[in-house]
Amino acid sequence: MELSPRERIIRVLKRRGDLDRIPWSFHFGASSAFTPGSYKKFTEHTKITNVNDYYQFEVRIAHSDEIEQQFHTSSSNFGLKMLPNGIKEDYFEPSLPQGTSMTSWGVGLIEWPDNPGSEQMIHPLANKNDLKSIEEYPIPGIDQDSFPIVQRRAQEIKSKGYISSAYCGSLYEWSHWLRGMETFMVDLLARPVFAQTLLRKVADFTYKFARAHAEAGVEILCFYDDYGMQSCLQINPSLWRKYLKPEWERIIGGLRSAYPDRYFFLHSCGNIEQIIPDLIQVGFDVLHPIQPECQDSERIIRQYGDRISFWGTISVQNTLPFGTVEDVDKEVKSRMDLARLIPSLIVAPSNTLGQEIPIQNIIAYTEACQKYCHIKC
């Protein structure tokens, strides 16, 4: 029995089993795993410029750019376009360095010259010590001209037998990008009204942004919120449950009530095992990346794979950058073997492919995925 790419992913997201093969990808959710450097290296070596079509990846991004970006940058529109919130350079004290660009949220970005696609952030609310500044801080707009583009792409993706995804925002990340991580963490402990006010502002926009994607027909709504460090959460789990969990319950609950056939994806780096039961409880369908350097990927999938699906688990900290071709093959085979037993895993890199990863290991990853993805092999 050969499944359509769309049906294959739905079976994984619903943990139904009876797969014809195990899905794998270079991407995660609505984000390409390629950076500009690794994409250049890959295309020069393989002459493959569109990995989605070449490898027949099941999930396709309903983007709003004229041409789909094949690698991740901060300016790519992996879904509806956000409009600037009106914050200008003169809002910042001290003034912004020359060459600083601005996000739609009014966050300053300075690109790292030796690693395109990565930036230093300048936080507009970092030095604001009054609640009124947070209350009155403007939110981005949603470009209505991009709506029919995303809607058309979502329809085309579905008609061709694939499933659509799009970037729908975050809570914790957008909050500390605006306030600065250190200041936001102090807010959580010492200025709870500041933290709650900012989180509610961000959550209201995230809900509105995600709902617009659902209305456009996007099926996998993708959120990105890094909660983990290498060995534990960045904040105490009790703080996460107090401040973040209620907002996710409100967002996903409202969206699922209106759009019961949508799926909810969360990317959250690091060791987040303490809150996996909470993420299941609020309604996420699939979790990326379950970094193998930070937690026992196999144990977690065995423990929770009947209640939530997983995407990722291939090491970009150790195996891909520093391992041998044989190491890559072994790790991919291990994940594919696990996915045959517990059919709730999409095999993929656990984060972006840095330009330091040897091309032979990227090729080894693709070859191993193609070799081991069959249910019987």
Side-chain angles (χ1 to χ4, degrees):
M1 174 188 63
E2 184 174 352
L3 301 173
S4 71
R6 169 188 168 77
E7 179 59 27
R8 187 177 302 120
I9 289 295
I10 289 175
R11 283 176 180 262
V12 171
L13 296 179
K14 291 188 173 183
R15 299 167 291 284
R16 288 177 175 170
D18 294 325
L19 297 172
D20 58 341
R21 68 177 181 85
I22 299 155
W24 65 277
S25 185
F26 273 122
H27 310 322
F28 46 98
S31 180
S32 171
F34 283 113
T35 58
S38 61
Y39 179 73
K40 181 175 184 290
K41 186 187 298 184
F42 178 81
T43 56
E44 287 178 349
H45 183 85
T46 64
K47 311 304 178 189
I48 299 169
T49 56
N50 188 320
V51 294
N52 287 323
D53 290 341
Y54 187 87
Y55 294 110
Q56 293 295 293
F57 291 151
E58 292 89 351
V59 180
R60 306 295 177 97
I61 301 170
H63 65 93
S64 55
D65 286 324
E66 185 175 343
I67 299 173
E68 182 176 3
Q69 288 281 359
Q70 298 296 317
F71 50 82
H72 177 80
T73 70
S74 59
S75 61
S76 300
N77 293 290
F78 294 113
L80 294 167
K81 293 181 180 178
M82 294 165 55
L83 297 174
N85 66 350
I87 294 295
K88 304 296 184 184
E89 288 80 356
D90 59 6
Y91 186 86
F92 291 81
E93 295 180 10
S95 58
L96 295 176
Q98 188 174 3
T100 302
S101 61
M102 302 281 284
T103 73
S104 300
W105 274 102
V107 176
L109 297 179
I110 304 174
E111 188 172 90
W112 293 356
D114 58 344
N115 190 17
S118 298
E119 304 92 6
Q120 174 190 346
M121 290 186 177
I122 304 177
H123 315 287
L125 289 172
N127 297 320
K128 304 298 181 181
N129 297 315
D130 59 298
L131 185 60
K132 184 177 180 182
S133 292
I134 297 175
E135 292 173 334
E136 295 182 350
Y137 192 81
I139 63 172
I142 301 173
D143 183 2
Q144 294 305 311
D145 291 339
S146 68
F147 185 91
I149 300 171
V150 170
Q151 185 177 49
R152 183 178 67 252
R153 290 217 163 97
Q155 291 169 347
E156 289 173 353
I157 289 166
K158 188 174 183 178
S159 70
K160 292 178 180 178
Y162 299 98
I163 191 166
S164 60
S165 67
Y167 173 77
C168 295
S170 65
L171 296 184
Y172 178 72
E173 284 191 0
W174 273 349
S175 294
H176 72 67
W177 291 358
L178 289 166
R179 191 84 167 114
M181 179 168 278
E182 182 177 344
T183 303
F184 183 66
M185 286 186 171
V186 171
D187 288 344
L188 291 170
L189 290 170
R191 296 181 290 259
V193 176
F194 282 43
Q196 288 172 327
T197 301
L198 182 57
L199 274 168
R200 177 51 60 95
K201 180 184 291 286
V202 168
D204 285 348
F205 177 78
T206 295
Y207 175 78
K208 180 180 178 182
F209 195 46
R211 188 178 180 106
H213 282 98
E215 289 173 359
V218 175
E219 295 186 87
I220 303 179
L221 307 179
C222 301
F223 305 90
Y224 294 74
D225 234 15
D226 288 341
Y227 299 126
M229 298 187 291
Q230 198 74 4
S231 60
C232 62
L233 290 170
Q234 294 176 15
I235 61 175
N236 189 288
S238 65
L239 287 175
W240 187 91
R241 293 182 182 111
K242 178 180 180 180
Y243 291 104
L244 279 303
K245 185 176 181 178
E247 298 297 350
W248 281 124
E249 287 176 327
R250 185 170 66 92
I251 290 169
I252 295 177
L255 291 169
R256 198 179 292 281
S257 176
Y259 300 94
D261 57 350
R262 299 303 191 261
Y263 302 95
F264 300 89
F265 165 102
L266 178 67
H267 162 88
S268 193
C269 285
N271 186 332
I272 62 166
E273 184 173 359
Q274 286 178 290
I275 59 169
I276 289 177
D278 300 278
L279 297 174
I280 294 169
Q281 190 176 41
V282 302
F284 282 107
D285 297 292
V286 56
L287 180 60
H288 177 273
I290 309 300
Q291 287 175 265
E293 302 85 3
C294 304
Q295 53 220 322
D296 186 336
S297 300
E298 181 170 335
R299 179 182 56 76
I300 287 174
I301 292 170
R302 288 180 181 276
Q303 183 173 350
Y304 297 108
D306 61 336
R307 286 173 282 167
I308 192 169
S309 299
F310 297 96
W311 191 326
T313 77
I314 300 298
S315 167
V316 298
Q317 281 184 271
N318 291 322
T319 309
L320 284 174
F322 303 118
T324 64
V325 166
E326 291 75 22
D327 292 333
V328 175
D329 184 273
K330 181 180 178 181
E331 184 159 313
V332 171
K333 183 179 186 300
S334 172
R335 302 296 188 267
M336 293 292 184
D337 288 345
L338 179 62
R340 284 188 200 89
L341 296 174
I342 305 168
S344 55
L345 173 63
I346 302 167
V347 175
S350 58
N351 213 301
T352 52
L353 301 169
Q355 57 191 4
E356 74 280 0
I357 295 177
I359 185 61
Q360 61 265 28
N361 282 2
I362 298 178
I363 300 304
Y365 166 74
T366 65
E367 291 178 347
C369 286
Q370 291 173 306
K371 178 167 56 173
Y372 299 122
C373 71
H374 305 287
I375 294 300
K376 296 179 180 179
C377 67

